[in-house]
Amino acid sequence: MRDVVLALAAPAVMCAGGIYAACAAWWRRRRPRPSLETGERAVAVAEAMMADEYALLLHDAERTGAKSGPVRHHERPVTGDRVTEGRSGEAA
């Protein structure tokens, strides 16, 4: 029984590969890749959207009086931080 299965496995895999290749070729013919201009246009639209959102963010920060300096993760000095002290709390 094993010999029959093994003998039929190779032609079955070859037929499946041929069917896959034919279907992939058909799919590519029906749906061509977008042109380079389309990709460049999408990047330009995304850049414009990000610029608009950043401008709105800055406008809101000016209106609310938020800090305009660099982003601060914490107000206390880094030297007293657990990361610089190590796991045991002793200075590294």
Side-chain angles (χ1 to χ4, degrees):
M1 182 66 177
R2 284 183 179 169
D3 295 336
V4 174
V5 172
L6 189 59
L8 295 177
V13 170
M14 289 175 56
C15 289
I19 292 170
Y20 175 81
C23 291
W26 174 82
W27 183 264
R28 276 186 255 121
R29 278 195 308 263
R30 298 274 189 243
R31 290 163 183 77
R33 290 183 176 171
S35 66
L36 185 59
E37 290 179 7
T38 305
E40 291 174 351
R41 190 177 320 129
V43 169
V45 168
E47 287 175 347
M49 288 172 56
M50 292 305 297
D52 291 345
E53 291 297 322
Y54 186 70
L56 286 173
L57 180 67
L58 288 180
H59 176 69
D60 287 345
E62 289 173 359
R63 188 173 47 108
T64 59
K67 294 179 182 177
S68 59
V71 176
R72 296 183 182 128
H73 295 287
H74 48 75
E75 294 296 327
R76 60 190 176 87
V78 179
T79 55
D81 197 1
R82 297 281 294 177
V83 174
T84 57
E85 292 176 358
R87 291 188 179 189
S88 65
E90 298 175 13

